[in-house]
Amino acid sequence: MKKIVLFIFPLLFLLTSCTAAADIEEEKNLVIGFSQSGTESKWRKKHTDSIKTELEKNNQVLYRNGYMSQERQIQDIRTFIAYKVDLIVFTPLQEDGWELILTEAKQADIPVIVVDRHISVSDQSLYITHIGPSFKAEGNRGGLYVTNHFADSQKEEINILELSGLPETSPTTLRTEGFQETISRDSRMKIVDTLSGDYIRMKGKEQMEQYIEEHDISSIDVLYSHNDEMTHGALEALAKTDVVPGKDIIIVTIDAQEDMIRKLRAGDVNCVVECNPNAGWFVANAIERYFSGHELAHEIYMPETVFSESNLDTIPTRNY
Ligand code: AHR
């Protein structure tokens, strides 16, 4: 009898530990659909990479890119629903137009996490959380640099040219709002024109070239650009003029890609506001918390900072 017990016990132990291991394996093996909006910038590529890398550590990830087409993104999400994934992570191209597809996800009992840009839906229960940067604070930081820079200047008017991102997206709206809010404290500051470069380098260059052709660029004191890619384009356009970037025209740009930090060090731009692309850890953490029964905040902000000539020595390696 003892012999049987001695034989059965380790066997039971082996069986239960196998099941426990299988359970853990099962827990780890969520199937997650990840729909990214585009590939328009180095920032975006890093953002994609960060989320994929972090999620793939513990889950099976189905990844699709919408290449800046909302229709394609909607199709991708529909594919995830048909595949009955455990959760959908998506980075919306624009703010409107998601209600229907997210209702389909909700009806299929699939939780959705929105990352980076915001969506505008009347039913807030269509997604469990939004994880992203504070675009308004980014605008505030850019504005603060400009107001500080000109605080002691004798200039009576400070003319600002804005190069804005894709319309009807929250970074574009909020970066304008935050910047406006801060510069409005100094009555000399005025946004004289706003160009739209859709967050794309080539478009930023074209818009700037056209502006230079039709206006007196030497009357502009500040260029406020909503992303680094467009800033690169604008710098290419400015290179064909007598205006010296960083001196004759103060340049504020958002994202903090490595190539723009190099321009900051060279004095070609004056202020680089960070937009944090490293969303992966935050997304993975939210998923883990959600599936272990924790309630998530409806809005999760990621930390960000700002770089200028005053903190060049402490800029961390960018990797994007
Ligand atoms: O939505 C975030 C913005 O989109 C980033 O600033 C920009 O580089 C990207 O295209």
Side-chain angles (χ1 to χ4, degrees):
M1 182 66 176
K2 239 185 193 172
K3 253 189 190 165
I4 293 173
V5 171
L6 276 177
F7 171 74
I8 286 176
F9 184 72
L11 195 70
L12 275 175
F13 176 76
L14 203 71
L15 282 174
T16 42
S17 52
C18 281
T19 336
D23 279 353
I24 292 169
E25 207 36 54
E26 185 107 318
E27 256 174 51
K28 278 183 162 185
N29 252 327
L30 293 172
V31 179
I32 296 176
F34 171 33
S35 158
Q36 177 60 281
S37 58
T39 55
E40 73 279 13
S41 54
K42 286 190 184 156
W43 184 97
R44 178 68 59 202
K45 287 174 194 149
K46 177 66 189 177
H47 186 253
T48 306
D49 225 50
S50 161
I51 296 174
K52 274 185 76 201
T53 308
E54 208 55 50
L55 292 185
E56 277 167 358
K57 284 184 184 165
N58 289 320
N59 312 283
Q60 194 189 326
V61 179
L62 305 181
Y63 168 69
R64 292 274 202 288
N65 197 302
Y67 298 104
M68 294 192 77
S69 150
Q70 184 180 35
E71 245 169 69
R72 207 186 300 216
Q73 263 200 295
I74 290 175
Q75 267 174 28
D76 293 341
I77 296 174
R78 198 159 277 136
T79 307
F80 297 152
I81 297 172
Y83 199 82
K84 294 189 172 43
V85 296
D86 296 300
L87 182 136
I88 292 169
V89 173
F90 100 109
T91 296
L93 175 68
Q94 61 191 57
E95 219 160 325
D96 290 326
W98 303 104
E99 198 105 27
L100 196 67
I101 188 68
L102 295 190
T103 305
E104 287 175 33
K106 191 178 174 184
Q107 282 161 354
D109 265 334
I110 300 174
V112 171
I113 293 183
V114 181
V115 191
D116 181 30
R117 300 177 184 174
H118 299 78
I119 55 167
S120 159
V121 283
S122 50
D123 178 0
Q124 297 304 307
S125 75
L126 290 178
Y127 60 99
I128 54 172
T129 187
H130 168 258
I131 302 171
S134 170
F135 299 124
K136 185 160 177 209
E138 292 169 357
N140 287 143
R141 289 182 189 121
L144 191 64
Y145 179 85
V146 176
T147 47
N148 284 342
H149 182 89
F150 288 99
D152 299 327
S153 142
Q154 298 306 310
K155 272 179 172 289
E156 284 173 13
E157 274 183 353
I158 292 144
N159 295 327
I160 302 169
L161 176 63
E162 183 181 33
L163 183 49
S164 76
L166 190 70
E168 288 161 42
T169 66
S170 60
T172 301
T173 318
L174 294 168
R175 282 170 185 171
T176 296
E177 204 179 300
F179 187 80
Q180 281 269 19
E181 187 178 80
T182 310
I183 60 160
S184 67
R185 293 177 203 152
D186 185 334
S187 59
R188 299 172 302 160
M189 308 256 163
K190 189 170 167 226
I191 297 185
V192 288
D193 266 304
T194 297
L195 315 174
S196 180
D198 294 349
Y199 293 120
I200 294 170
R201 184 184 292 221
M202 194 43 87
K203 190 107 190 264
K205 183 180 176 190
E206 282 165 13
Q207 289 284 304
M208 198 63 185
E209 279 172 346
Q210 197 179 330
Y211 190 84
I212 290 168
E213 240 175 71
E214 294 167 5
H215 300 80
D216 174 16
I217 189 70
S218 67
S219 69
I220 299 294
D221 302 298
V222 177
L223 172 69
Y224 169 47
S225 165
H226 286 203
N227 92 339
D228 289 348
E229 291 294 336
M230 295 189 300
T231 309
H232 280 299
L235 284 169
E236 284 173 37
L238 281 170
K240 295 177 200 146
T241 70
D242 292 339
V243 171
V244 182
K247 294 189 177 62
D248 300 336
I249 183 167
I250 296 304
I251 301 185
V252 176
T253 177
I254 302 180
D255 274 356
Q257 295 179 172
E258 184 66 51
D259 48 19
M260 196 49 71
I261 297 299
R262 277 200 291 275
K263 299 255 180 223
L264 177 68
R265 291 189 194 283
D268 298 334
V269 300
N270 309 78
C271 171
V272 180
V273 178
E274 183 187 37
C275 178
N276 188 351
N278 300 305
W281 181 87
F282 295 88
V283 175
N285 183 259
I287 294 175
E288 198 188 308
R289 287 174 60 77
Y290 175 76
F291 282 108
S292 50
H294 291 87
E295 202 166 310
L296 300 179
H298 207 57
E299 190 68 54
I300 299 172
Y301 289 111
M302 290 157 47
E304 296 179 323
T305 186
V306 60
F307 308 116
S308 66
E309 61 274 22
S310 66
N311 61 354
L312 286 180
D313 295 342
T314 58
I315 305 179
T317 318
R318 314 306 302 152
N319 293 324
Y320 65 98

